[in-house]
């Protein structure tokens, strides 16, 4: 059981690190998904360990919502790309001048 | 069972009305042609819908507190009052969106549709009673906010603001879920009600796991409230978004987040436990940091909108400070603060938006000499600025006084001192606007279009509560102290 815990914690941390250090927006979005995937695994794991199925419900909703989030994120990236012709965060900074 | 559900729906009418309103406006909008400028029926429908929601919330307020839908939501006076404040805020923002030139004509109905969606999310969040509902509320709030922040399609700042918001939001909700999963692992249920009993039976080790999980859980809410370590998105998003959207963000998601935080605090930490000590300590540190960082950073800003963004961060800090008391006095103070904050923010943003529409930007210099050109509006702005600082005899003073007295009663003297000192610091940047309006000569003689008779009337009618609540606060204070949290 604990190997799954480490796996999901690893996935979560990998996503968190990726989103902090990656420089292109698509990869950041992928890392975000990785993070949520890790958490979903964790929920299933705890659901199995405790014997309550509430958490499995949570995972289904998480999958739906993260799909929405990625759809919105991608469309925002496209909207920005149309104006700036780039998806690298270094070239985009306007607001924090 | 089914009858139970039907009976529950009668308490859920406000949210259902909003859903009907949202769908109705989507349908209504399709009846207009692409270039039709006159979409007044959409706005009339929206206003009627919101007023109906407000009335049904008032009916709800008189009913007894109960949990509905198998305990997944709670209808209690606290959530209902917070919802009413949110609906009023949305009403103000709807009107601002119709007069603002920052939202393109073709997108004005879209603003209303999305704002209604966010309002539904905020209402779910305000009465969420399990982790799933809280997560759904936060995400409904967030996902639509991302789109709304980038509503100004042709402006790259707006697009960037939306993207930034989306990435920060995704990360923080991920971290929140990580915390939630650990809380579930230790407690074995996602329902808030009854959790308190389980928490009190836990062993020392399990409590040790729980505290970090709660800290992670706080990240998600803290991000919505823009509490300090997680506030980085807020000024950028507030500055990049169109002003009506900024106004909306400063009111609805913030108050929704605060009410979720209040509920979590009251349910999990209203009894003595090692957890409570940790959580109150965390809240205190975050409140002090949020107030201080928000205020100090606001001083150096050139843009009024960005200044108001930072000041709204510090106001969130003040509301969090009241939470550290974890008792009904603190909660009433938060509710009262929320009500006054609504009116003050609305007036400040209305005037800023109208000035900005006229001059094209919102730097402090644009306010120069406003007192000679539009003395009435300048007086209103000055009143609101004094009130935001917390000077008597205005509403802001009473609100801050309530919070300080709640803190003193719980013997949190340091936090009360930090709050008072922060009010002094905030005087600098709030009164800067007053000084510019009165002491400097104006830049140009041109008339500001937005200050028509109707708009002036609306601004004045929103300023009246700021003055009245500073003198006759008893009525609203009674409502605020009646806003009790219902714990099963």
């Amino acid at each position: 059981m604990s190997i799954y815990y480490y796996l999901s914690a690893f996935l979560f941390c990998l996503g968190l690190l990726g989103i902090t250090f990656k420089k292109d927006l698509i990869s950041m979005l992928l890392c975000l998904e990785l993070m949520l995937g890790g958490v979903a695994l964790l929920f299933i794991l705890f659901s199995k360990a405790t014997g309550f199925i509430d958490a499995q419900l949570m995972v289904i909703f998480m999958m739906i919502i993260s799909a929405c989030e990625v759809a919105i994120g991608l469309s925002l990236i496209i909207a920005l790309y149309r104006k700036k012709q780039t998806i690298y965060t270094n070239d985009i900074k306007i607001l924090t001048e | 069972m089914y009858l139970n559900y039907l009976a529950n729906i009668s308490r859920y009418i406000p949210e259902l009305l909003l859903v009907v309103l949202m769908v109705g406006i989507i349908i209504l909008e399709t009846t207009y042609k692409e270039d039709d400028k006159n979409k007044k029926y959409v706005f009339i429908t929206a206003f009627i819908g919101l007023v109906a929601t407000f009335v049904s919330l008032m009916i709800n307020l008189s009913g007894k507190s109960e949990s509905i839908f198998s305990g997944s939501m709670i209808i209690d006076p606290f959530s209902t009052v917070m919802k009413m404040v949110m609906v009023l805020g949305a009403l103000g923002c709807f009107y601002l969106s119709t007069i603002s030139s920052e939202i393109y004509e073709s997108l004005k109905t879209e603003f209303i549709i999305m704002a209604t969606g966010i309002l539904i999310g905020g209402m779910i969040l305000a009465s969420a009673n399990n982790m799933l509902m809280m997560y759904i509320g936060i995400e409904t709030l967030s996902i639509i906010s991302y789109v709304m922040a980038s509503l100004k399609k042709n402006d790259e700042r707006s697009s960037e603001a939306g993207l930034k918001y989306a990435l920060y939001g995704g990360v923080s909700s991920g971290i929140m879920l990580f915390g939630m999963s650990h809380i579930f692992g230790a407690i074995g249920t996602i329902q808030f009600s009854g959790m308190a009993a389980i928490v009190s039976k836990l062993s020392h080790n399990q409590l040790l796991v729980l505290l970090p999980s709660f800290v992670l859980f706080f990240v998600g809410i803290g991000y919505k409230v823009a509490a300090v370590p997680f506030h980085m998105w807020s000024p950028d998003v507030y500055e990049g978004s169109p002003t009506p959207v900024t106004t909306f963000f400063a009111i609805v998601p913030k108050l929704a987040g605060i009410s979720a935080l209040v509920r979590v605090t009251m349910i999990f930490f209203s009894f003595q436990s090692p957890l409570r000590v940790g959580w109150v300590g965390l809240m205190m540190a975050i409140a002090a940091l949020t107030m201080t960082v928000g205020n100090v950073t606001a001083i150096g800003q050139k843009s009024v909108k960005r200044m108001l963004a930072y000041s709204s961060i510090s106001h969130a800090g003040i509301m969090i400070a009241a939470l550290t008391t974890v008792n009904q006095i603190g909660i009433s103070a938060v509710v009262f603060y929320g009500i006054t904050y609504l009116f003050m923010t609305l007036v400040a943003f209305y005037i800023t938006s109208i000035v900005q529409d006229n001059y094209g930007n919102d730097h402090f210099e644009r306010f120069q000499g406003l007192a000679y050109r539009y003395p009435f509006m300048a007086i209103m702005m000055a009143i609101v600025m004094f009130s935001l600082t917390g000077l008597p005899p205005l509403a802001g003073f009473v609100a801050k006084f309530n919070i300080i007295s709640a803190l003193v009663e719980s013997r949190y003297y340091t936090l009360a001192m930090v709050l008072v000192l922060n009010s002094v610091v905030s005087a600098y940047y709030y009164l800067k606007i007053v000084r510019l309006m009165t002491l400097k000569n104006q830049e140009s003689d041109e008339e500001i279009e937005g200050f028509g008779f109707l708009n002036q009337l609306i601004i004045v009618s929103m300023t009246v509560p700021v003055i009245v609540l500073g003198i006759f606060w008893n009525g609203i204070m009674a409502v605020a102290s009646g806003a009790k949290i219902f714990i099963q």
Side-chain angles (χ1 to χ4, degrees):
Chain A
M1 201 60 113
S2 71
I3 179 105
Y4 290 110
Y5 182 81
Y6 289 125
L7 174 65
S8 50
F10 172 73
L11 283 178
F12 179 80
C13 293
L14 200 64
L16 198 60
L17 283 178
I19 209 162
T20 327
F21 293 113
K22 276 284 183 184
K23 290 290 177 213
D24 65 313
L25 293 167
I26 302 282
S27 299
M28 283 167 92
L29 215 57
L30 284 176
C31 289
L32 188 64
E33 281 304 290
L34 199 61
M35 226 167 107
L36 290 174
V39 177
L41 193 57
L42 205 56
F43 265 115
I44 296 170
L45 175 70
F46 280 134
S47 164
K48 186 108 174 76
T50 55
F52 294 102
I53 58 158
D54 304 17
Q56 296 177 14
L57 199 72
M58 195 110 181
V59 172
I60 291 170
F61 275 95
M62 262 176 72
M63 275 161 20
I64 297 166
I65 288 173
S66 66
C68 299
E69 215 167 82
V70 168
I72 297 281
L74 270 178
S75 59
L76 288 176
I77 292 174
I78 290 169
L80 198 62
Y81 181 78
R82 282 204 181 130
K83 262 160 269 157
K84 301 285 286 186
Q85 304 297 325
T86 177
I87 53 162
Y88 289 93
T89 46
N90 289 347
D91 310 334
I92 296 175
K93 284 172 188 153
I94 319 158
L95 283 166
T96 42
E97 56 219 57
Chain B
M1 186 69 188
Y2 292 115
L3 266 178
N4 238 344
Y5 266 81
L6 282 182
N8 286 338
I9 284 176
S10 71
R11 301 306 298 278
Y12 206 61
I13 288 173
E15 280 87 345
L16 292 178
L17 270 177
L18 279 182
V19 173
V20 170
L21 174 69
M22 191 175 165
V23 177
I25 294 175
I26 292 175
I27 294 168
L28 193 61
E29 207 222 350
T30 58
T31 61
Y32 286 97
K33 287 200 191 73
E34 182 77 21
D35 52 346
D36 200 344
K37 289 256 161 61
N38 185 18
K39 290 180 178 169
K40 65 173 187 243
Y41 289 112
V42 171
F43 305 121
I44 293 170
T45 319
F47 284 130
I48 292 173
L50 281 192
V51 169
T53 314
F54 191 79
V55 170
S56 65
L57 279 172
M58 274 173 111
I59 296 167
N60 240 353
L61 193 60
S62 55
K64 69 179 196 325
S65 312
E66 60 181 335
S67 66
I68 58 171
F69 301 136
S70 316
S72 66
M73 305 201 115
I74 274 192
I75 305 292
D76 56 2
F78 173 76
S79 66
T80 313
V81 170
M82 287 312 252
K83 283 174 192 172
M84 281 157 90
V85 177
M86 280 186 246
V87 169
L88 281 182
L91 200 62
C93 296
F94 281 7
Y95 184 72
L96 185 59
S97 81
T98 63
I99 59 171
S100 169
S101 64
E102 259 199 296
I103 294 185
Y104 308 130
E105 284 295 336
S106 56
L107 292 179
K108 284 197 169 166
T109 37
E110 241 122 294
F111 173 88
I112 289 182
I113 295 165
M114 285 191 274
T116 316
I118 295 182
L119 194 59
I120 296 168
M123 284 164 100
I124 294 175
L125 191 55
S127 56
N129 193 36
N130 66 21
M131 289 192 207
L132 182 60
M133 272 304 163
M134 186 160 274
Y135 176 58
I136 291 175
I138 286 185
E139 288 296 327
T140 315
L141 209 68
S142 307
I143 290 179
I144 308 176
S145 307
Y146 308 151
V147 188
M148 212 155 129
S150 46
L151 201 59
K152 227 157 111 190
K153 259 193 301 193
N154 299 343
D155 187 357
E156 56 194 32
R157 288 149 52 95
S158 186
S159 298
E160 196 202 331
L163 193 60
K164 223 171 212 172
Y165 203 6
L167 287 173
Y168 275 113
V171 173
S172 68
S173 69
I175 294 175
M176 182 185 71
L177 283 168
F178 194 66
M180 275 182 182
S181 65
H182 281 81
I183 296 175
F184 172 78
I187 296 182
T189 172
I190 56 171
Q191 293 283 354
F192 285 167
S193 51
M195 264 186 173
I198 302 174
V199 169
S200 59
K201 274 183 232 145
L202 289 181
S203 67
H204 192 68
N205 280 345
Q206 279 165 316
L207 283 179
L208 277 184
V209 180
L210 266 185
L211 188 59
S213 323
F214 271 112
V215 174
L216 292 177
F217 180 39
F218 173 74
V219 173
I221 307 173
Y223 149 85
K224 270 282 124 217
V225 188
V228 147
F230 328 107
H231 71 294
M232 304 305 288
W233 60 273
S234 158
D236 292 349
V237 170
Y238 282 21
E239 195 193 355
S241 323
T243 314
V245 177
T246 311
T247 318
F248 195 75
F249 283 171
I251 296 169
V252 176
K254 195 154 272 198
L255 290 177
I258 290 281
S259 42
L261 197 57
V262 168
R263 190 173 299 283
V264 170
T265 310
M266 288 304 279
I267 287 177
F268 288 102
F269 309 105
S270 54
F271 52 94
Q272 281 303 331
S273 70
L275 266 183
R276 177 185 167 146
V277 179
W279 180 264
V280 169
L282 176 79
M283 284 293 119
M284 280 176 140
I286 282 182
L289 265 176
T290 309
M291 284 188 273
T292 316
V293 172
N295 272 326
V296 171
T297 336
I299 289 175
Q301 301 305 324
K302 288 196 191 74
S303 139
V304 176
K305 230 161 93 181
R306 212 174 160 90
M307 182 275 277
L308 286 173
Y310 277 111
S311 96
S312 81
I313 292 177
S314 82
H315 285 292
I318 294 172
M319 286 189 256
I320 296 174
L323 275 184
T324 56
T325 60
V326 203
N327 58 24
Q328 187 53 43
I329 305 169
I331 306 305
S332 315
V334 171
V335 173
F336 191 84
Y337 203 95
I339 294 168
T340 54
Y341 172 78
L342 162 78
F343 290 111
M344 296 187 294
T345 317
L346 271 182
V347 176
F349 272 110
Y350 259 67
I351 294 177
T352 312
S353 168
I354 289 171
V355 169
Q356 182 190 6
D357 275 351
N358 200 56
Y359 294 112
N361 68 38
D362 59 336
H363 289 172
F364 273 95
E365 292 80 48
R366 302 289 90 80
F367 280 87
Q368 275 181 14
L370 194 69
Y372 304 105
R373 194 91 195 81
Y374 291 97
F376 213 50
M377 286 299 101
I379 290 170
M380 295 303 139
M381 190 70 172
I383 286 174
V384 170
M385 286 299 142
F386 282 126
S387 176
L388 281 168
T389 319
L391 294 178
L394 298 165
F397 169 73
V398 183
K400 270 187 186 161
F401 181 79
N402 279 330
I403 288 184
I404 291 172
S405 71
L407 284 176
V408 168
E409 204 161 284
S410 298
R411 295 170 195 269
Y412 297 147
Y413 298 117
T414 325
L415 199 56
M417 284 295 285
V418 172
L419 208 165
V420 173
L421 288 178
N422 266 302
S423 302
V424 179
V425 174
S426 71
Y428 175 81
Y429 58 86
Y430 285 135
L431 301 189
K432 192 166 146 192
I433 290 187
V434 180
R435 179 175 64 96
L436 281 174
M437 282 192 306
T438 49
L439 297 184
K440 293 275 177 87
N441 287 328
Q442 65 198 80
E443 279 185 334
S444 63
D445 285 339
E446 63 177 310
E447 256 179 50
I448 296 179
E449 236 176 86
F451 287 140
F453 177 72
L454 182 64
N455 292 349
Q456 291 211 16
L457 191 71
I458 285 170
I459 290 174
V460 170
S461 65
M462 286 188 305
T463 322
V464 167
V466 177
I467 305 164
V468 171
L469 285 183
I471 306 164
F472 309 105
W473 62 82
N474 283 346
I476 295 295
M477 200 57 217
V479 173
S481 43
K484 293 202 166 54
I485 295 268
F486 174 67
I487 303 171
Q488 279 180 309

